Amino acid sequence: MSAPQPIIVVGAGTAGCTVVSYLANNTRQPILVVEPGGYGDDDDSQFLNLSDSELLVTTHDGYVQARAMGGGSAVNGMLLTGDEPEHLRGLTRLAKDEDIGIVGRELLRVGGRFSRLWWNGGRWNPGRAVRHLMEEDRVSHLSRTVTQLLIEDGRVVGVDCGGEPLRAGVVVLCAGAVNSPGVLLASGVQKLNPGIGLGVQNHPTITAQFSIGTAQHARFDAAVVREWSTPRGGQMLNVAYERVAKNCDDVGSLSVSLMNPISRGHVELSRDGIPVVDFGLLGQEEDLINMVAGVRDLIDLLSSGSFSDDAESITVEEVPLAQLRECEDIELTKWVLQSARGVSHAASSCGQAVDSSGRVLGLENCWIADASVLESIPTVTPAAPVTMEALRIARNIGGSLS
């Protein structure tokens, strides 16, 4: 009797590890996780120590994404601005005064609050659980990049890793809101499912930098946030960063992000077959108006002189603060439209491409269980909503196999 074909999980980021852990503990199916990234040093509380490592990848269009077992939860900022997921009780804690530095204290003074952190004696990393499952031979791992699906008569029967085919009983895409639709598009299924890659969103962000004088140490690179709303209902988030880079302890940073954008973009393939994303940032007038209000507020915060004793050192996306302060509304609006950037929060690129259970429409045996399937980008930092959605879809997959 032949052995059953494995469940192949494509990508072992936050979502992929959540799916693998659930299925390994609730089904009898063999599981193969295909993830090209390494494993982050999740005992290091300062995430910028990993910023120049191979665990963070910047695409040619400037989008930064983790490539590691555990994903962004293993190597990114760990900020949890929403509620703690029920299935992760005890794996987070609120920051304390001794965890922060000069920038965080100043944001607290002007209305900020301590954020909850993915921290429990070590950075919360769903990759740890998967590593234990691998050590117990309950899960297999292959360090490859999946380039497309293997499809026979509308049924997904495996994946291809650049000429290396792998057969599967079920395929679960967890490669993120850029690469998951990229794999589907490379597989030529957009005619069966025209919703692939449509509707992608991100949080538009503007960031300032400034001198903070003598070098100082904070346990966490970012642990204080400030939430507020514009007159038009824009939900804004300021984040205090104690430093801007691994070896730059005397320069701090303050960002502002629009957390409830309505603008959407798309993911497509380049001529070379590489997935590229256009988030359509601030494409809707409402978003642009809210973001301009956010930048005006950021200028006011920085002009108070409390974040930096050296006013001339303050720049906002490399433009001197004094120059922006003099801008009229029309000029500032044009600048914001050109300067806003996305962060590593891409979501909703396949919300129209799956059914309510996470199955890819038009294909059998294929699911998506990452940020791609969210109907819209979360109004909080996305790790918690992503793990909850991944767990929900993993339960659906497990139920379909029983």
Side-chain angles (χ1 to χ4, degrees):
M1 185 174 180
S2 60
Q5 298 287 355
I7 299 171
I8 291 183
V9 179
V10 180
T14 302
C17 287
T18 300
V19 170
V20 168
S21 296
Y22 179 85
L23 293 177
N25 288 307
N26 292 277
T27 72
R28 296 182 179 180
Q29 300 288 113
I31 298 172
L32 172 63
V33 57
V34 184
E35 165 58 55
Y39 189 82
D41 180 10
D42 50 15
D43 287 323
D44 192 335
S45 62
Q46 294 183 298
F47 73 94
L48 287 173
N49 288 346
L50 302 171
S51 61
D52 58 356
S53 76
E54 62 183 16
L55 301 175
L56 287 176
V57 177
T58 303
T59 63
H60 74 282
D61 48 5
Y63 182 66
V64 178
Q65 201 169 26
R67 187 170 70 178
M69 187 77 72
S73 301
V75 299
N76 284 352
M78 306 177 299
L79 289 177
L80 177 61
T81 57
D83 294 332
E84 181 183 52
E86 183 66 35
H87 67 288
L88 297 175
R89 290 291 179 200
L91 294 178
T92 74
R93 73 166 175 83
L94 283 174
K96 305 173 184 177
D97 187 68
E98 56 264 34
D99 293 325
I100 65 174
I102 295 171
V103 187
R105 291 191 186 96
E106 180 56 23
L107 190 58
L108 283 177
R109 190 188 70 80
V110 296
R113 67 170 177 85
F114 288 118
S115 78
R116 187 168 284 277
L117 300 155
W118 299 95
W119 188 261
N120 184 24
R123 190 189 311 266
W124 177 78
N125 180 358
R128 288 189 180 196
V130 173
R131 288 221 309 185
H132 292 320
L133 292 168
M134 290 164 53
E135 292 166 358
E136 297 167 0
D137 293 326
R138 295 168 68 191
V139 170
S140 300
H141 170 233
L142 189 62
S143 182
R144 299 285 191 279
T145 297
V146 170
T147 52
Q148 62 184 52
L149 304 174
L150 301 177
I151 303 172
E152 296 177 1
D153 298 324
R155 183 180 181 85
V156 175
V157 297
V159 300
D160 187 88
C161 302
E164 181 180 357
L166 302 171
R167 304 289 289 190
V170 173
V171 172
V172 188
L173 294 174
C174 296
V178 177
N179 288 325
S180 284
V183 169
L184 290 167
L185 292 172
S187 306
V189 299
Q190 55 267 43
K191 290 183 179 180
L192 295 173
N193 190 330
I196 296 168
L198 300 183
V200 67
Q201 291 186 294
N202 206 326
H203 292 136
T205 299
I206 294 282
T207 303
Q209 296 184 8
F210 40 82
S211 170
I212 54 176
T214 58
Q216 49 87 48
H217 176 77
R219 184 177 188 189
F220 297 106
D221 286 319
V224 178
V225 299
R226 171 176 171 258
E227 295 154 316
W228 59 281
S229 296
T230 71
R232 297 284 289 263
Q235 297 179 33
M236 313 306 296
L237 178 72
N238 295 114
V239 180
Y241 295 94
E242 305 294 349
R243 55 182 182 160
V244 296
K246 177 180 178 180
N247 298 313
C248 197
D249 292 338
D250 60 349
V251 177
S253 181
L254 183 67
S255 68
V256 61
S257 299
L258 173 62
M259 302 302 287
N260 61 336
I262 58 176
S263 302
R264 292 179 180 267
H266 64 276
V267 178
E268 61 184 18
L269 295 182
S270 70
R271 292 181 179 179
D272 298 327
I274 299 171
V276 293
V277 58
D278 176 2
F279 290 113
L281 294 178
L282 307 180
Q284 295 292 321
E285 183 180 11
E286 190 76 8
D287 288 349
L288 183 55
I289 292 171
N290 284 324
M291 196 66 196
V292 170
V295 172
R296 283 290 187 199
D297 179 82
L298 180 66
I299 291 171
D300 290 343
L301 289 178
L302 296 168
S303 298
S304 69
S306 300
F307 282 95
S308 175
D309 292 331
D310 181 7
E312 293 185 0
S313 75
I314 304 175
T315 61
V316 185
E317 297 295 348
E318 302 184 355
V319 176
L321 176 66
Q323 179 178 331
L324 288 179
R325 199 163 44 218
E326 300 301 320
C327 286
E328 300 291 340
D329 285 347
I330 293 177
E331 185 180 4
L332 184 64
T333 298
K334 290 180 180 179
W335 180 83
V336 169
L337 187 58
Q338 295 171 351
S339 302
R341 306 178 183 183
V343 288
S344 54
H345 293 173
S348 308
S349 56
C350 291
Q352 305 174 49
V354 296
D355 66 15
S356 60
S357 68
R359 293 178 191 265
V360 178
L361 298 171
L363 292 176
E364 294 184 41
N365 266 14
C366 188
W367 306 68
I368 307 177
D370 59 24
S372 306
V373 300
L374 298 175
E375 290 186 3
S376 60
I377 193 168
T379 57
V380 297
T381 50
V386 167
T387 63
M388 290 187 284
E389 186 69 352
L391 181 60
R392 182 186 75 83
I393 294 173
R395 288 172 175 156
N396 292 337
I397 296 170
S400 75
L401 298 173
S402 60

